[in-house]
Each structure stands twice: as C-alpha cells, then as structure tokens.
Amino acid sequence: MKPIMKRLRVFLWVAAWVLCFPGPAQANAGVPMIFLTLPGMALALVPVMFLEMQVLAKGLGLTRRVAFKVSAWANLLTTVVGVPLTWAILTVLEGVTGGDRAYGIDTPAKKLLAVTWQAPWLIPYEADHNLYWMVPAAMMWLLVPTFFMSWWLEYLAAARMLRDADRARLQSAMFRANLLSYAFLELCALGWLLFEIVFVV
C-alpha cells in the first residue's frame, strides 16, 4: 500500500501546484495523465455530444432535441465521473503490479509497456526527452478502457432518462454512439502524436 499512498500524496501535491502555479509545474514525479486526459475530454465534449446525438436519434427513433439531452447528460457523467474513475482504477493497478518503477525505454517492448501498462502515471524519462510522443501515445491507450467505462455509465444514464426504451436496443445504440465518439477521440490523439513526431522533433 505504501507506493499507492505515496502516489496519492504526489497526485494531491501536483494537483494543488498545477492549480495554483500552472507555469512552474514539473513532471519530475511522473505525469498523472488525468491532468491531460480530463481537459482534453472536456474540450471534445460538444462535438462528442453532437456525434452521439445523431446515433441515438437514428437508432432509437428519438427527436434530435431528446437525443441531444440524453447525450449531453450522459457525456457530462462520463467526463465528471467516468474518466477520473477509470484513471484511478488503472493507476492503482499500475502501482500494485509494479508499474510505478522506471524500467527504461531502450527496446520497442519497453516503449510499448511505458505507454500502456504505465500509461495512467507516466514515467517521464526526461533525460531522453521522450514525453513528446509518450503523452499522446498513452492517451490513445487510455481511451480504450475509458470507452468501456463510458459505454456502461452512459447506458445507465440513458436508461434512467428513457425508461420506456427497449434495453437491448438502448444498449446497442449507446455502444455505437460511443464507438463513433471514441473513434473521433482516437483520431484526435493520433493527430497529436503525428504532429509531435513530424513537426516538433
């Protein structure tokens, strides 16, 4: 439990530091990806709402107004609860399985582990200046488990709002809506990664 408590203290310290002094914040203690994924998800909230509205309206025979209301509330729930909860679970798993140690990134396999297993709380490897590609790559990976959490939470939210809807049909529509919105988010993260590789390096 000690590594987890240590990470919690670091997380709270970094959170306070970023909020109070955003300029000088450093990644020396690692990079808690929640600080990058959550703002990114918030920025993408409006286009995601509209994308999912289209799927829900067509798949469930709803008016666009009702479909947008369902999409808006469901996506707000995902952003406020789903994204932080997914990150917290993955961070705990990273810590208890030994992912909180620096293993290096000198092989393709280690690079892959650094942005998957260690994605929730990135090891910075600042001496090698690798965060430019690690952050968007880790974000692409984190979108995968977040998709499943989002689908589940949004289905629960929609089921409460559309009590008369067929549950199987609603679940299918929510799956397709999230598949579309997360494909959009993955493309955004991929675009960021390619931009960093082509124009920044």
Side-chain angles (χ1 to χ4, degrees), residues 95-142:
V96 299
T97 57
D100 54 348
R101 294 189 292 274
Y103 296 98
I105 50 173
D106 53 330
T107 67
K110 288 182 179 180
K111 284 183 171 68
L112 180 63
L113 287 176
V115 294
T116 53
W117 179 32
Q118 298 179 312
W121 200 298
L122 282 177
I123 307 298
Y125 299 109
E126 287 182 280
D128 300 317
H129 306 290
N130 285 289
L131 284 178
Y132 75 92
W133 68 266
M134 290 177 69
V135 170
M139 186 172 289
M140 290 180 70
W141 170 254
L142 290 172

Side-chain angles (χ1 to χ4, degrees), residues 31-38 41 82-83 86-91 94 114-122 134-150 182 185-186 189:
V31 181
M33 283 293 292
I34 189 68
F35 289 121
L36 298 173
T37 54
L38 195 56
M41 297 289 271
V83 175
T86 304
W87 175 82
I89 293 169
L90 293 174
T91 300
E94 180 186 346
V115 294
T116 53
W117 179 32
Q118 298 179 312
W121 200 298
L122 282 177
M134 290 177 69
V135 170
M139 186 172 289
M140 290 180 70
W141 170 254
L142 290 172
L143 283 170
V144 176
T146 306
F147 162 79
F148 290 101
M149 178 69 78
S150 174
Y182 274 82
L185 294 172
E186 285 285 9

Side-chain angles (χ1 to χ4, degrees), residues 3 11 16 58 63-64 84 88 100 150 152 154 162 171 185 192-193:
F11 171 75
K58 185 177 180 180
T63 65
R64 290 195 174 191
D100 54 348
S150 174
W152 177 62
E154 289 186 23
L162 303 170
Q171 192 174 55
L185 294 172
W192 179 14
L193 176 61

Side-chain angles (χ1 to χ4, degrees), residues 26-60:
Q26 301 294 322
N28 297 328
V31 181
M33 283 293 292
I34 189 68
F35 289 121
L36 298 173
T37 54
L38 195 56
M41 297 289 271
L43 285 172
L45 197 54
V46 172
V48 162
M49 286 177 182
F50 277 99
L51 284 172
E52 293 191 7
M53 174 196 73
Q54 301 291 338
V55 177
L56 295 177
K58 185 177 180 180
L60 298 171

